[in-house]
Amino acid sequence: MSSGPLPPSPGQFLVVGFGGICLDYLAVVTTFPKPDDKTRSSSMKIQGGGDAANTVTCLARLGVRTRLISKLADDVHGKSLLEELTADGVDTSFLVVAKDGQTPFSYIIVDQSTRTRTCIFTPGFPLMEPVDVSPDIESALEGANFVYFDARYADTAIVVAQEV
């Protein structure tokens, strides 16, 4: 039996992600509290989130070369996200960093009894606008085998997609 050529290794692919990034505060509770109740969490974790950021992080951890195009602020949340993405091997050189603003963040409550989660999203500001797209966007997309777009920043995504 002959087989075809082996597929390229994951490290030979480049996936560029465009879209959301945020810092997630995840709390696990036994049951979700009723209005005006208090409950204790059984665990708490703070980590990066957002559809595009999660996608490229997962791929980077699997050995795929990744790059993220998104926007965050030069605040404590943004700095934490940059550190985490860099540690995971994501190319962050095309992230837009707002000097004055707020990085998006979410409170996520995971209910163990129903196996559901409730998200409370706090959008950052300023939002990513088409004017934020680097004039060097072609180099951000150069060599990409796949470009992932999530539902954030639709007007800006169209500008990026026109370069693909």
Side-chain angles (χ1 to χ4, degrees):
M1 254 191 328
S2 82
S3 61
L6 292 174
S9 70
Q12 293 175 319
F13 284 99
L14 172 61
V15 176
V16 177
F18 175 87
I21 186 170
C22 70
L23 192 67
D24 288 343
Y25 293 86
L26 297 124
V28 177
V29 296
T30 306
T31 60
F32 196 85
K34 292 180 173 75
D36 210 29
D37 272 357
K38 290 184 180 180
T39 191
R40 292 180 188 253
S41 63
S42 57
S43 68
M44 168 67 174
K45 188 172 187 176
I46 302 171
Q47 66 182 32
D51 291 345
N54 283 344
T55 298
V56 296
T57 296
C58 177
L59 290 168
R61 289 177 181 175
L62 292 170
V64 176
R65 290 183 310 125
T66 60
R67 181 174 296 141
L68 180 62
I69 303 169
S70 190
K71 187 171 188 176
L72 44 72
D74 188 21
D75 59 6
V76 67
H77 292 156
K79 290 174 183 167
S80 174
L81 288 166
L82 278 172
E83 284 179 21
E84 186 177 341
L85 289 165
T86 301
D88 283 326
V90 176
D91 178 351
T92 60
S93 59
F94 289 91
L95 282 178
V96 177
V97 180
K99 295 298 177 200
D100 295 312
Q102 178 179 296
T103 298
F105 63 94
S106 293
Y107 298 107
I108 301 171
I109 303 164
V110 180
D111 182 334
Q112 288 181 314
S113 67
T114 60
R115 296 182 174 213
T116 59
R117 53 103 172 104
T118 301
C119 299
I120 303 167
F121 178 66
T122 305
F125 62 87
L127 296 177
M128 189 166 196
E129 302 287 339
V131 71
D132 290 323
V133 175
S134 169
D136 201 23
I137 190 67
E138 288 179 14
S139 64
L141 300 169
E142 186 176 328
N145 299 92
F146 188 84
V147 181
Y148 170 85
F149 294 88
D150 67 17
R152 297 255 180 247
Y153 316 123
D155 292 341
T156 310
I158 291 168
V159 172
V160 174
Q162 289 172 335
E163 297 296 327
V164 175

